[in-house]
Amino acid sequence: MGPEWVSILALVALFVIGTVLPINMGALAYVAAWLVGMYALDLDEKEILAGVSGDLVLTLIGVTYLFAIAKNNGTVDLIVRSAVKGVGGRVALIPWVMFAVTALLTAIGAASPAACAIIGPIALGFAGRYKISALMMGMMVVHGAQAGGFSPISIYGTITNSVMEEAGLPSSEIAVFLASLVVNFILAVILFLSLGGRSLMDKRLDPDDPDTLSEDLHRGGASIPARGTGTSTQTRTQALGVRRDQVLTLIAFLGVALVALVFDKNIGFVAITAAVLLAMLSPNEHKDAVKQIAWPTVLLVAGVSTYATILTTAGAPEFIGDWAAGLGAAVIGALILCYVGGVVSAFASSTALLPVIIPIAVPLINDGGINAALFVAALAVSSTIVDVSPFSTNGALMLANKPDTIEEPVYYKQILTYAVIVTLVGPLLVWAALVLPGW
């Protein structure tokens, strides 16, 4: 049995064990990476550990550390309240605001993880405050990032179009962009309607009512007392005002966004720098914030990203891709490649996968009479809609910033279930909508 088969079977095994037993899948992935790397690929331990995504781990640590501080000093609550006021108290509009803002950020060139890192915690803070489905809010952010992710000036779009050009394929920037935009918008609509969005349409809130907000904050776990505890309305109003530490935190948020998006700096380094500066200004208040970093999610993503490199080193994606290209029916091979892109990307970097999987599709395009632009669009969308997976950067960020109102095992299972559904059904639907009509 070749190393590609060993790596694939080990992946299936760790996924099954991690689903059936309450064991962190990142720990299982480290074990699988060590065994497969040592005994199937003849790698040493340093080579195996070289696969861990330090960038991703730092992003998770930096973002969750910063938002732990923001949550502790009430800044997240302040942002949520301002968002409610901005849409006139119409709660149903907030998920779509999060979707649109994230889509805009990626469309103008922000990295998808950076956009999700900035918008995700705010969206989930809103979900926790107003008892809205955390799964719906988190996935709206991820799908928003992917909706704008293939614009001609975006990172995904630039990679896809340049790879098509290098492979000698006719590029169609608008086709790829619109395909991703439409598919992710449809998924967002389905999420909104199926996870309680309709019940939000008649819900209105008054963000200027200190009594209502103080009760909301109390239910969400903030330190502001609710009515009936002897606190006066005047005190509650003062508590809901903007404090100096909140102003500094808002400035830190703005600085993180500007430095990461405008100057293209690593969001993890920028976020952890901002968090450390805030902690230095109020060391006693934030001394326990580091404990609120999403360490289980860090382990999950670090282990899985390490094993994803083992899969790539073993040549599993190319092995399946070559097999698909060798099938007699080009259109079936195209379907298999869409699934390869989806499944691999659910565990690995979409940015790293796109330059690998598009060239594999060239024989099918040349020999099978498949429309190049539509096929590449199908591959691009299939490889990125699965970023809702808790093992990918965006999905992991949504898991790491879960609201206090939901238990982590419950939320993890919700995200994992949704990711499995998208991974199993998404590539098929995308193939049927994009590849079949152009065949």
Side-chain angles (χ1 to χ4, degrees):
M1 183 182 295
E4 63 278 353
W5 274 113
V6 174
S7 65
I8 293 170
L9 293 175
L11 173 64
V12 173
L14 74 88
F15 188 84
V16 171
I17 295 172
T19 303
V20 174
L21 301 178
I23 302 175
N24 187 298
M25 203 172 293
L28 292 170
Y30 267 125
V31 174
W34 182 54
L35 295 177
V36 175
M38 289 279 290
Y39 301 107
L41 297 173
D42 198 27
L43 301 175
D44 60 39
E45 278 122 345
K46 288 185 178 180
E47 291 173 317
I48 295 171
L49 289 174
V52 66
S53 175
D55 175 72
L56 175 52
V57 170
L58 179 61
T59 296
L60 288 172
I61 292 174
V63 169
T64 55
Y65 186 21
L66 176 60
F67 276 87
I69 291 175
K71 184 178 179 182
N72 291 345
N73 65 21
T75 304
V76 171
D77 289 324
L78 176 65
I79 294 172
V80 169
R81 188 168 71 250
S82 299
V84 175
K85 190 172 184 178
V87 296
R90 297 177 180 86
V91 179
L93 292 181
I94 292 294
W96 292 107
V97 170
M98 302 301 170
F99 177 91
V101 171
T102 316
L104 178 62
L105 288 176
T106 55
I108 62 176
S112 180
C116 288
I118 292 168
I119 305 300
I122 297 172
L124 290 169
F126 185 91
R129 169 83 73 82
Y130 295 110
K131 315 300 181 185
I132 299 172
S133 168
L135 178 64
M136 187 252 286
M137 289 292 281
M139 297 304 99
M140 290 282 279
V141 171
V142 177
H143 285 305
Q146 307 309 68
F150 284 91
S151 79
I153 61 172
S154 69
I155 293 177
Y156 284 159
T158 302
I159 291 173
T160 302
N161 296 323
S162 62
V163 171
M164 289 182 72
E165 183 178 353
E166 291 173 4
L169 299 175
S171 63
S172 181
E173 299 176 348
I174 300 302
V176 176
F177 173 46
L178 290 180
S180 183
L181 177 63
V182 171
V183 169
N184 282 281
F185 177 75
I186 291 173
L187 288 173
V189 171
I190 293 172
L191 280 167
F192 182 79
L193 296 178
S194 61
L195 294 177
R198 285 173 290 187
S199 65
L200 301 177
M201 293 180 182
D202 296 327
K203 188 173 182 180
R204 298 288 293 269
L205 298 170
D206 182 2
D208 294 319
D209 183 351
D211 290 337
T212 300
L213 286 172
S214 62
E215 289 180 352
D216 275 327
L217 288 168
H218 180 68
R219 287 195 300 269
S223 59
I224 299 174
R227 285 184 295 179
T229 59
T231 305
S232 68
T233 300
Q234 180 180 1
T235 302
R236 288 196 302 273
T237 303
Q238 292 173 347
L240 289 167
V242 183
R243 303 192 307 269
R244 173 181 172 274
D245 57 345
Q246 293 173 335
V247 171
L248 292 175
T249 306
L250 289 172
I251 293 173
F253 280 174
L254 181 60
V256 168
L258 288 175
V259 174
L261 302 181
V262 177
F263 297 100
D264 194 26
K265 298 300 181 182
N266 182 285
I267 184 72
F269 277 121
V270 179
I272 202 168
T273 300
V276 168
L277 290 174
L278 291 172
M280 290 174 65
L281 292 174
S282 303
N284 292 327
E285 180 183 355
H286 301 309
K287 62 181 180 180
D288 292 329
V290 71
K291 298 178 182 178
Q292 299 173 46
I293 294 173
W295 295 115
T297 305
V298 171
L299 173 60
L300 173 71
V301 173
V304 171
S305 67
T306 299
Y307 190 75
T309 303
I310 295 296
L311 273 174
T312 304
T313 304
E318 291 86 350
F319 171 75
I320 299 176
D322 292 340
W323 172 73
L327 292 176
V331 70
I332 300 301
L335 175 61
I336 293 173
L337 277 185
C338 285
Y339 270 105
V340 170
V343 172
V344 174
S345 184
F347 294 90
S349 167
S350 300
T351 305
L353 178 66
L354 288 171
V356 174
I357 198 166
I358 292 176
I360 295 175
V362 174
L364 289 174
I365 295 171
N366 292 337
D367 303 332
I370 298 177
N371 182 281
L374 292 178
F375 185 19
V376 171
L379 285 175
V381 175
S382 297
S383 301
T384 52
I385 58 172
V386 296
D387 281 0
V388 297
S389 163
F391 314 118
S392 69
T393 309
N394 294 348
L397 284 167
M398 299 307 110
L399 177 62
N401 290 284
K402 73 170 189 65
D404 290 339
T405 53
I406 185 171
E407 296 180 0
E408 182 169 338
V410 174
Y411 190 37
Y412 171 73
K413 287 182 179 179
Q414 289 178 352
I415 295 180
L416 180 60
T417 301
Y418 179 67
V420 169
I421 293 172
V422 171
T423 305
L424 292 178
V425 179
L428 176 62
L429 296 179
V430 170
W431 170 81
L434 297 175
V435 178
L436 283 183
W439 182 43

